Amino acid sequence: MALLCLAPVIQANENQDIPLSFFAEKVSLQNNINIYIDEDLQNKLVSLYVPEQINNDDLLNLFKTTVSKLDYNLLKVGETYYLKKKLENIDAEFSYIYKLAYNTAEDCKSVLTILKVPFTYLSDNNSFIITTTEKKYLEAETFLKKVDIKQKQVFLKIAILEFQDADTKERGVQWSSIFQDASGTVKVALNTIVAPLNTKNLTLSNIDFYSALRLLDDNKIINVKQHPYVLSKNNQSFKFEAVDNIPYLVTTTKTQASNTSEQTSIDYKDVGLKINGKSFVYDDYITLDLDLIIEDIVGTVTTTMPQVYKRHLISNTNVNYNEVLLLSGIKRNKIEDNNINIPFLSNIPYLGELFKYSYKTDKQLNITISIEVLKSDENTTKI
């Protein structure tokens, strides 16, 4: 119980007339709250009976009852109370400023549009000017507070794994057989990573995945080409690309009067792996919308745009935390130009050609793409 000390202005257990501003000040101090009063109400006298002891909640309720009897409006905006006269015209419109706490302007615009509340968005300070009646504004404010919240986000740990069939044959499958999963079951590591499409479930635990991956990586059976981390926000798009910027010759023909001329220029095309997606973040899992494109150059083309072989995958999958999504069974041709020359001797005019050797290699690669979902506040695990 808290003792209400209004002396010497107020004597306990007596009816007294006190200024409304004085009453509000005592309520504010007792309850540690902010109370704002319109200037024309501050000197309003109220008749009040104060007991010797009154707790904080009862004191606040006494204040609310008093202003209600006076037919005033006591509005709560955030943690602040605002005391004002009731409007005679409830349909009168005013302009209000609502400042957003987060980058949720687009969602809030949708809410205000649905509620048919006129607004102007100020991008410089991330605020809305809302022009409407008080009742409509309070309704809109309630919805805005539910929408203007911090967006959930996750880290997507992406790994691009490559291996050649020839490597597995040369080294033998036995290198990939000595692997136990979390339950102690012996598994073939290579199948664990590159053959999940043979099952209905495309995910496996991160413990099993990294156990198999370390074994294959240590024995140089599989090559981890890329392992980026992508921060993905709820219902926001993300992108990752691992491409070669291929130059090609572009010829443009111009005709003026009876003269025809050709101009050539160099243009570029990105060829390789492109991952576009969107994640929907929930407490125990996320839903991944994936759009995956892999392109390979079919042949060497010098005068037109390079010809490419394209594979396109669109997938929608649920992935739990501490699980790894695997996309495997992807083939890729890798053409490499190799130039070997002997220093100094290869620079001799004419004779130097004898000390140069060029050849091309065409490799068939198997690609597996893994995506692990990590909560943004978790420590990531290194491969």
Side-chain angles (χ1 to χ4, degrees), residues 20-63:
L20 184 59
S21 59
F22 180 80
F23 188 19
E25 179 183 353
K26 296 304 179 181
V27 174
S28 176
L29 292 174
Q30 286 283 112
N31 289 270
N32 193 27
I33 57 176
N34 297 318
I35 301 177
Y36 176 78
I37 304 178
D38 278 352
E39 291 182 0
D40 56 346
L41 301 182
Q42 291 184 5
N43 294 324
K44 174 70 177 178
L45 295 178
V46 296
S47 180
L48 184 66
Y49 175 80
V50 181
E52 289 188 359
Q53 289 186 333
I54 184 170
N55 63 35
N56 294 345
D57 290 339
D58 289 342
L59 181 62
L60 179 59
N61 290 331
L62 181 61
F63 181 75

Side-chain angles (χ1 to χ4, degrees), residues 71-129:
D71 204 26
Y72 294 159
N73 269 337
L74 182 63
L75 305 175
K76 186 177 182 182
V77 182
E79 296 301 320
T80 299
Y81 287 89
Y82 176 39
L83 184 60
K84 58 185 294 189
K85 287 183 178 180
K86 288 185 176 180
L87 297 174
E88 295 181 1
N89 182 6
I90 61 174
D91 294 326
E93 292 188 347
F94 296 89
S95 292
Y96 303 86
I97 294 181
Y98 185 90
K99 184 171 179 59
L100 300 180
Y102 302 98
N103 185 24
T104 56
E106 294 305 318
D107 289 338
C108 290
K109 287 178 183 179
S110 299
V111 168
L112 295 174
T113 301
I114 293 173
L115 295 176
K116 298 181 179 180
V117 176
F119 67 88
T120 300
Y121 176 62
L122 306 177
S123 58
D124 288 344
N125 60 2
N126 197 29
S127 300
F128 285 96
I129 296 179

